[in-house]
């Protein structure tokens, strides 16, 4: 594709591409949609309506690879989870853990807004943003200071909560799965976040630097997921039409509105005359329902769409251990069952000296059991 567009077309030799070559290329898996774009480029087609997925929602430009792997109980061991996170040459494998979050106290205690208001209404929140359809330029709803204020307003306005860190009292309602209780995962915790919305929110396409365990307490969301193999192409020529995907980096150009690095796209209507390379990109999806958790390794690009209705999810960013800590698991098992830690029993804020993996340098994080009501153990 790059040879045809950049060499043949640029040199006015597109018409010389043999029909036999195009037919053979088109027969390869996943090439049919891209063929239309290729032929349009070679023949000089000007009608964007001829491009598959033009002005359609993200995902209709290229067939999906399907739903990511789903894992139901019994849950993996810490050792098995490490294998999942390090497979595919270290890229890891996204996994949907079906029903994992149902063991969290929050799953029952946050079932309704009335319960949340009674239990945590006075808790401070650290971030409420405008624009259910994320632009990263909508700004903060700074007048909202606590959860109660948010709950009274969010169903009748264009706001959603992205609060990090979660308040200490609310952290007591959220727990880690046992397969993270040893092996080193909890030694490299970065941050935790609470997301609350009235549904129908849509994120930008982006990636996270850390591994992510994202759990759905209420509502449903779809994650569209893209392999890190696209990184070099996704991020080439940022803030420029040459990019072909819409990638912008606000740190490189302060004139670009928003924050961080992301795809500046209308996810409901992909304009292939401006971002034609979405016709090349293969993708997976993960459909989260109440009680599900998604494991997403670092630098897997994703876009998230919430279904209509109340949604709550909590997640932890952590730096994957570079080496699995076998000794910690041996010690934990010798003491009985693997412990189940809650967020409020752990410290956060680890930053690796370099890269994306946790190593025993600098100040690591730790978890220590606290007394809780028997109903929440």
């Amino acid at each position: 594709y790059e040879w045809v567009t950049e060499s043949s077309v640029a040199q006015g030799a597109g018409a010389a591409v043999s029909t036999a070559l195009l037919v053979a290329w088109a027969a390869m898996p996943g090439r049919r949609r891209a063929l239309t774009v290729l032929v349009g480029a070679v023949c000089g087609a000007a009608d964007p309506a001829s491009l598959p997925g033009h002005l359609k929602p993200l995902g209709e430009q290229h067939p999906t690879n399907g739903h990511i792997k789903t894992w139901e109980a019994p849950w993996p061991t810490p050792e098995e989870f490490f294998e999942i996170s390090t497979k595919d040459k270290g890229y890891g494998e996204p996994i949907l853990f079906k029903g994992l979050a149902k063991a969290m106290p929050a799953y029952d205690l946050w079932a309704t807004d009335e319960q949340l208001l009674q239990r945590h209404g006075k808790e401070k929140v650290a971030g409420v943003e405008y624009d259910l359809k994320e632009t990263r330029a909508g700004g903060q709803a700074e007048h909202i200071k606590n959860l109660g204020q948010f709950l009274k307003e969010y169903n009748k306005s264009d706001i959603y909560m992205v609060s990090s860190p979660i308040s200490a009292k609310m952290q007591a309602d959220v727990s880690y799965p046992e397969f993270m209780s040893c092996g080193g995962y909890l030694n490299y915790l970065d941050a935790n976040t609470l997301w609350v919305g009235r549904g129908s929110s849509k994120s930008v396409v982006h990636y996270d630097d850390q591994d992510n365990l994202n759990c759905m307490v209420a509502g449903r969301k779809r994650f569209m997921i893209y392999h890190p193999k696209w990184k070099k192409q996704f991020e080439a020529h940022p803030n420029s039409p040459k990019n072909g995907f819409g990638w912008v980096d606000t740190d490189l150009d302060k004139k670009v509105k928003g924050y961080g690095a992301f795809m500046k796209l209308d996810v409901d209507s992909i304009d292939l005359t401006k971002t034609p390379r979405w016709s090349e990109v293969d993708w997976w999806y993960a459909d989260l329902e109440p009680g599900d958790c998604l494991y997403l390794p670092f630098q897997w690009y994703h876009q998230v769409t919430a279904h209509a209705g109340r949604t709550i999810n909590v997640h932890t960013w952590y730096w994957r251990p570079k080496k699995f800590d076998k000794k910690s698991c041996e010690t934990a098992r010798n003491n009985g069952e693997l412990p189940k830690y809650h967020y409020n029993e752990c410290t956060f804020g680890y930053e690796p000296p370099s890269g994306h993996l946790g190593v025993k340098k600098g100040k690591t994080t730790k978890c220590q059991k606290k007394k809780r009501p028997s109903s929440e153990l």
Side-chain angles (χ1 to χ4, degrees):
Y1 175 80
E2 291 181 355
W3 178 83
V4 173
T5 56
E6 295 179 12
S7 297
S8 301
V9 175
Q11 297 173 21
V17 178
S18 71
T19 302
L21 177 60
L22 286 176
V23 171
W25 179 80
M28 296 172 65
R31 299 294 192 183
R32 289 192 174 184
R33 285 184 172 236
L35 175 61
T36 305
V37 179
L38 172 60
V39 172
V42 171
C43 300
D47 183 9
S50 66
L51 306 180
H54 177 61
L55 299 182
K56 298 291 185 180
L58 182 66
E60 294 194 23
Q61 297 72 40
H62 191 286
T64 178
N65 294 327
H67 198 284
I68 65 169
K69 181 178 179 179
T70 297
W71 189 309
E72 299 184 8
W75 309 121
T77 64
E79 292 83 356
E80 289 172 330
F81 185 53
F82 190 75
E83 290 180 10
I84 291 169
S85 63
T86 55
K87 66 190 311 182
D88 190 12
K89 299 179 180 179
Y91 286 126
E93 180 183 16
I95 297 284
L96 177 67
F97 292 107
K98 193 71 179 174
L100 178 63
K102 291 182 179 180
M104 293 184 181
Y107 183 74
D108 295 315
L109 298 174
W110 301 359
T112 67
D113 280 358
E114 289 72 24
Q115 286 176 285
L116 265 181
L117 189 62
Q118 181 178 9
R119 186 174 179 82
H120 298 302
K122 296 182 180 180
E123 293 300 297
K124 293 181 180 180
V125 295
V128 176
E129 297 185 10
Y130 288 106
D131 294 342
L132 284 174
K133 188 173 182 178
E134 185 183 18
T135 64
R136 296 200 170 181
Q140 298 283 321
E142 297 181 359
H143 65 286
I144 296 179
K145 305 298 184 182
N146 60 47
L147 182 60
Q149 291 175 319
F150 174 83
L151 293 176
K152 291 177 181 179
E153 187 173 326
Y154 83 114
N155 277 314
K156 51 187 178 183
S157 64
D158 192 35
I159 59 173
Y160 65 99
M161 182 184 297
V162 187
S163 185
S164 181
I166 305 171
S167 74
K169 187 178 178 181
M170 295 187 76
Q171 285 185 34
D173 295 342
V174 185
S175 56
Y176 287 106
E178 290 180 1
F179 58 73
M180 291 184 68
S181 63
C182 68
Y185 306 104
L186 303 184
N187 295 130
Y188 310 113
L189 297 174
D190 184 4
N192 59 72
T193 306
L194 170 68
W195 304 72
V196 185
R198 61 180 174 85
S200 302
S201 61
K202 298 176 182 181
S203 80
V204 295
V205 180
H206 64 289
Y207 70 84
D208 300 318
D209 284 322
Q210 314 88 333
D211 280 24
N212 183 354
L213 186 68
N214 194 316
C215 295
M216 205 81 210
V217 177
R220 296 184 299 146
K221 289 185 176 181
R222 166 167 284 197
F223 282 67
M224 298 180 67
I225 302 170
Y226 307 89
H227 197 284
K229 69 182 180 181
W230 288 100
K231 183 176 179 63
K232 184 176 180 179
Q233 297 180 67
F234 272 172
E235 300 183 28
H237 309 293
N239 307 327
S240 168
K242 292 182 180 180
N243 173 261
F245 299 103
W247 184 258
V248 298
D249 189 333
T250 61
D251 290 336
L252 300 178
D253 186 351
K254 299 302 181 182
K255 294 180 182 179
V256 177
K257 294 182 179 180
Y259 58 88
F262 59 97
M263 300 290 185
K264 195 170 185 178
L265 298 167
D266 181 349
V267 295
D268 289 323
S269 181
I270 301 300
D271 189 341
L272 290 176
T273 65
K274 296 179 180 179
T275 54
R277 300 200 62 189
W278 281 104
S279 292
E280 305 170 41
V281 184
D282 60 327
W283 56 284
W284 291 261
Y285 65 93
D287 287 331
L288 274 69
E289 297 181 344
D292 295 344
C293 292
L294 171 65
Y295 165 65
L296 197 62
F298 70 84
Q299 292 198 338
W300 281 74
Y301 298 81
H302 52 283
Q303 188 276 329
V304 189
T305 296
H307 291 255
R310 176 177 181 265
T311 61
I312 301 177
N313 55 300
V314 293
H315 82 243
T316 289
W317 279 318
Y318 66 96
W319 306 93
R320 181 193 312 164
K322 185 175 183 178
K323 294 183 178 180
F324 184 79
D325 185 354
K326 293 182 180 179
K327 186 176 181 180
S328 66
C329 289
E330 292 174 357
T331 301
R333 289 180 174 123
N334 288 336
N335 292 333
E337 295 183 353
L338 293 177
K340 190 171 186 178
Y341 293 107
H342 289 223
Y343 280 19
N344 70 317
E345 295 175 321
C346 303
T347 59
F348 293 83
Y350 175 82
E351 291 289 336
S354 63
H356 302 272
L357 302 177
V359 294
K360 293 182 178 180
K361 291 184 180 180
K363 187 177 181 180
T364 58
T365 57
K366 61 181 180 179
C367 298
Q368 186 173 356
K369 298 293 290 182
K370 294 182 180 179
K371 289 185 178 180
R372 298 189 301 273
S374 59
S375 61
E376 298 178 17
L377 293 176

